[in-house]
Amino acid sequence: MRYCGFSEFFHDAGMAFITTDGDIEFATHAERYSKLKNDPDVPEALWDMVRDDDHVSFYEDHSIRKKYKTGFESKVIPNSLTYDAFMPHHVSHAANGYYTRPWDSQQDTVILTIDGAGEYQTSCIYDHNFNLLSEEVMPKSVGYFYTYTTRHLGLRPLEDEYVVMGLAAYGKPVVGKEMVNFYNEVKVDPTKNIRDETRSNIYGYLKRLYHGLSKEDIAASCQYFAEIKILDRAREARQYGSKLVYVGGCAQNVVANSMIKPLFDDMWIPVAPTDAGSALGAAAYSYGKATGKDKINWKDPYVGYNIQNDINPKDVVQHLLSHTYCGIANGRAEYGPRALGNRSLIADVRFDVQGTVNKIKRRQEYRPFAPAILEEYADQYFDGPMNEYMQYTSKALHEYKSVTHYDGTARVQIVKPNCTSVFRKVIEEFYEQTGVPMLLNTSLNIRGMPIVNDEIDADRFSKLYGVKVF
């Protein structure tokens, strides 16, 4: 028997399998198989992986949606849905983080989730037994404020929030305080349809507030608001524990993450903190309840589809030295929204390649790229929090503009000596030949498309966009 978890029907569906020994056998985003960005449905290819003896868990309690008049009652989740277990949305988020945390202690651990909405909740604080200590509910939602702002700017909601965060560095938070004050005054009325209330009152207010402002100032105001409210929740969580597990869509806001980190002795954000990651959370929660164990065996994010290429790092570096950029599609695909060396588009940081790579990916010219650096040299090039999963921002101490944002920061990926990806050996070889221990690293995809998953995807990417993929 395995523990299978799945998330489906809203956005960014996913599926995961955990063995009875607590190993992650497989985990992926649905979009990697359907080829539809943020696909809300699990495709047949993933359902075919489920065995008759698997214990299957769903990541939500859809009866709660009906009870709290969320506007999503029965038209989204079919009545025919079957599974062996289910749990509330924020519990599956919390379990995703808690059961993969790197430390063993439990009593000093507190779990914080901040999302758009799950059922009716938008943010929860749990203890290590998943007892609810505090919550925020619709229509008060940091995630929805940010998503509406994304839509207002003409971008794709639930996808381009990264763009808003990057754009914020170019503006000033001229109405940030007004947003915070308005949010604090939002009332919860259980007699009204939450979805309609959000659209008419909150979205209407923000539209009026943003009128006449530049896109840069709108983005900066929204980012300021998000930082203030996320920090408020983190400070409240700190009252209950010194080690933080932080999960949910808002945990992808790397600027806010960097502000939270100093509040705690330890902080853990799972590599896939969004709804797709809740597939692993649902499986882990059922595994924990069945076995009494409080952790699964988290090793690294490479738990998806396996491309078995025999890559020579010397060949990759020689291509970089003559062409400045190339792709890598090798080994098991990363779980989560970011490529970490196995499905990456990489480039030589010594050259001004930001515009070139953004053009290949069909992205806005101002969007920054992350540096991937050998761990032992990271402190020489950056000052501030950083980890293996690009979840924090640090100040750049170097002059390589291709991996430095407008505000002088970078979302660093440190690559440890025990990293199982060939990416470690590629950077080591690049360092041997250039004296520079880092490369630009971004996902091997085009804006609006999922990250390359299999051999066919990699070949197609190479032919369509003229990029050599190893």
Side-chain angles (χ1 to χ4, degrees), residues 230-241:
I230 290 171
L231 276 170
D232 282 351
R233 293 296 284 164
R235 291 190 182 101
E236 183 177 355
R238 183 63 180 83
Q239 300 173 27
Y240 301 104

Side-chain angles (χ1 to χ4, degrees), residues 296-311:
I296 59 174
N297 302 321
W298 172 261
K299 297 176 182 177
D300 58 46
Y302 310 110
V303 292
Y305 181 89
N306 192 18
I307 296 179
Q308 295 179 305
N309 279 342
D310 185 15
I311 292 179

